Amino acid sequence: MVRRIDHNKMGKSKKGWLNSIFHFSFAEYYNPDNIHFGTLRVINDDLVEAGTGFETHPHQNMEIVSYVVDGELTHGDSMGNKNTLKRGEVQYMSAGTGVYHSEFNLGDKTARFLQIWIMPDKAGHTPNYGDYKFAWEDRESRWLQIVAGSKGEAPIKIHQDANLYVTELKPNEEIDFEVGFGRQAYLVQIEGSSIINDEEMSSKDGLEAAEESLHIKALEKSHILVIEMKK
C-alpha cells in the first residue's frame, strides 16, 4: 500500500518568524486520524527567519532528529552541547528523562529544516546529543543512511528500530528503496519532483508505504528523505 499526502492539505502554522508544515498533528493542528505513522510522531517542515529561533524549552522521552535543508541551525542544550549545522547536516537528541534545548538561526538568510520526532523503545533513557556533518556527495545518486537503530551501522543511532536515508537524484534518474515484510516507510519529497510507484510527488509532499518497495524516478533534481521502520 502506497499513499501520497499532498503538502497543501497538511497542517500549517504561520508565526511570522516561523512558518511550518506539519505532516502529523502538532501544536495548533490536531487531526485525530493523523497522530503518527508507526513510531514516527512528528515531521515538521520549518522555515525559521534569520536572527530568530526556538527559545530554551524542555523535552522528555522522545528521539529528535533535525535535518538541515537550507541555511544554518545553532543548537544549545542543558547538557552543555552547542553546535551550528548547515545544509545536509544532521543533529540528534535523545530527550530521555528530560533535557532543555534551544534552536536558533544565527545566519543571514531563512533556514529550513525538518524536525523529526520518533517515539523511543522505552521511557527513561539517559539524555544524549550527537551531530554529524555528512559530505553532500555521499547522497548523490544513492541512498545515504544517516540514522539507524542501536544495532545499525549509521553514525547516528537512536533508541528505536528505525532508519533514516537521504538521496539526491538528477533529472530522469531512477532508484529503488526496499520496504520488506513487516516494515513500513514514510517518504518526504524535500525538494524537486518525482514519480514514485505511479504517484507524482511535488516538493514538500509526503508518502506512506507499507510492505511495498518504492521505485523513484526524478522528474527534476530531487532531494528525498525516507524513514523506514517496523510496522
Side-chain angles (χ1 to χ4, degrees):
M1 190 251 341
V2 167
R3 184 173 75 96
R4 170 181 169 264
I5 303 98
D6 187 335
H7 73 277
N8 292 302
K9 298 179 180 179
M10 295 178 184
K12 293 179 176 61
S13 176
K14 294 185 178 181
K15 299 182 181 299
W17 67 274
L18 172 67
N19 293 319
S20 302
I21 296 175
F22 303 136
H23 286 246
F24 306 100
S25 292
F26 192 86
E28 62 267 38
Y29 166 61
Y30 176 70
N31 179 348
D33 297 321
N34 188 33
I35 302 296
H36 63 95
F37 179 75
T39 56
L40 177 59
R41 175 61 187 87
V42 167
I43 299 181
N44 294 348
D45 197 326
D46 290 333
L47 293 174
V48 183
E49 292 297 313
T52 69
F54 301 87
E55 299 284 351
T56 300
H57 58 281
H59 286 288
Q60 191 172 15
N61 292 320
M62 194 65 68
E63 306 292 286
I64 301 172
V65 176
S66 297
Y67 182 79
V68 181
V69 178
D70 201 15
E72 62 179 53
L73 189 69
T74 298
H75 167 96
D77 63 44
S78 55
M79 296 178 283
N81 300 295
K82 186 172 184 179
N83 206 355
T84 298
L85 299 178
K86 299 181 180 180
R87 179 171 170 81
E89 298 174 349
V90 185
Q91 69 177 22
Y92 154 67
M93 187 176 71
S94 178
T97 54
V99 66
Y100 285 81
H101 80 131
S102 63
E103 306 287 346
F104 281 97
N105 174 11
L106 302 180
D108 56 6
K109 68 174 184 177
T110 300
R112 179 185 172 197
F113 77 103
L114 298 180
Q115 180 183 171
I116 302 162
W117 295 12
I118 296 171
M119 293 177 279
D121 53 10
K122 66 177 183 179
H125 285 291
T126 300
N128 188 30
Y129 170 85
D131 54 52
Y132 202 87
K133 299 184 177 182
F134 295 92
W136 186 265
E137 57 268 23
D138 288 345
R139 78 205 73 197
E140 293 178 342
S141 304
R142 57 179 169 169
W143 291 110
L144 169 66
Q145 186 171 10
I146 57 175
V147 175
S150 60
K151 297 180 181 179
E153 297 181 357
I156 296 174
K157 293 180 173 59
I158 61 174
H159 298 295
Q160 185 52 267
D161 180 7
N163 303 282
L164 277 67
Y165 301 83
V166 289
T167 188
E168 184 185 68
L169 303 176
K170 301 181 183 71
N172 297 313
E173 193 168 18
E174 300 182 37
I175 195 170
D176 292 316
F177 185 90
E178 182 179 353
V179 181
F181 179 76
R183 308 294 292 182
Q184 58 188 356
Y186 192 91
L187 179 148
V188 180
Q189 180 83 38
I190 303 173
E191 296 171 302
S193 60
S194 67
I195 295 178
I196 303 177
N197 293 23
D198 298 323
E199 294 282 352
E200 187 164 340
M201 302 284 292
S202 298
S203 177
K204 301 188 178 182
D205 286 352
L207 183 138
E208 297 176 352
E211 297 182 340
E212 182 174 340
S213 294
L214 303 175
H215 179 74
I216 302 166
K217 180 178 180 179
L219 297 177
E220 56 186 333
K221 182 183 284 188
S222 287
H223 184 191
I224 294 170
L225 167 81
V226 173
I227 303 166
E228 186 269 351
M229 70 204 87
K230 63 182 178 182
K231 188 175 176 185

